[in-house]
Amino acid sequence: MDRQDLSNDEAAIRALRHASNTAIAARKADRAAAFLSQDAKIVGSDGALIDGMSAMQRAFEKSFADPDFLTYHRTPQSVTVAGSTAAESGQWHGRWKERTVGGAYLARWRRHVDGWQIVAELYIPLDGP
């Protein structure tokens, strides 16, 4: 794989993350979960395992139903691609009317025939309650 392919893959993953943030801001649980593989494993900032795309969609629906919830946002700082796997790391925050929580996150992406999908994410709280 040449440098151009790597930069195209990095740009694709960054664009997908932006689209994911946009879906969350629009409170579209199905669209927000669509970036995940069916068997994705998400470790939330509270340490709880969210097992699979369907479970993550339900978690989004629960957050979006909370009248105090404002948004979740991830800002990638690094994307490293190696073949059909990519690692993304950056900063995240969750905002509610009366509080903000944030920290670092890590995401593992896998290239499928239909594009890149998230297979794992880990959210580490570094500030907030």
Side-chain angles (χ1 to χ4, degrees), residues 1-100:
M1 187 174 286
D2 67 20
R3 181 176 289 272
Q4 184 62 38
D5 290 336
L6 290 177
S7 64
N8 288 343
D9 286 329
E10 179 182 344
I13 289 167
R14 288 179 181 274
L16 289 166
R17 180 57 74 192
H18 176 75
S20 170
N21 285 333
T22 299
I24 291 169
R27 295 178 178 247
K28 302 291 185 184
D30 57 338
R31 286 185 19 222
F35 301 92
L36 302 169
S37 65
Q38 290 291 331
D39 60 346
K41 308 289 187 230
I42 312 299
V43 178
S45 63
D46 62 356
L49 174 65
I50 301 170
D51 193 2
M53 181 194 339
S54 296
M56 190 66 230
Q57 182 172 337
R58 288 190 301 276
F60 280 133
E61 289 166 350
K62 182 178 177 184
S63 291
F64 299 163
D66 178 350
D68 290 335
F69 174 77
L70 299 174
T71 194
Y72 296 124
H73 189 86
R74 286 74 39 92
T75 303
Q77 294 175 322
S78 171
V79 176
T80 304
V81 178
S84 63
T85 299
E88 172 193 359
S89 62
Q91 298 296 307
W92 69 274
H93 66 261
R95 290 196 177 135
W96 289 260
K97 289 179 181 174
E98 301 294 325
R99 67 184 175 105
T100 297

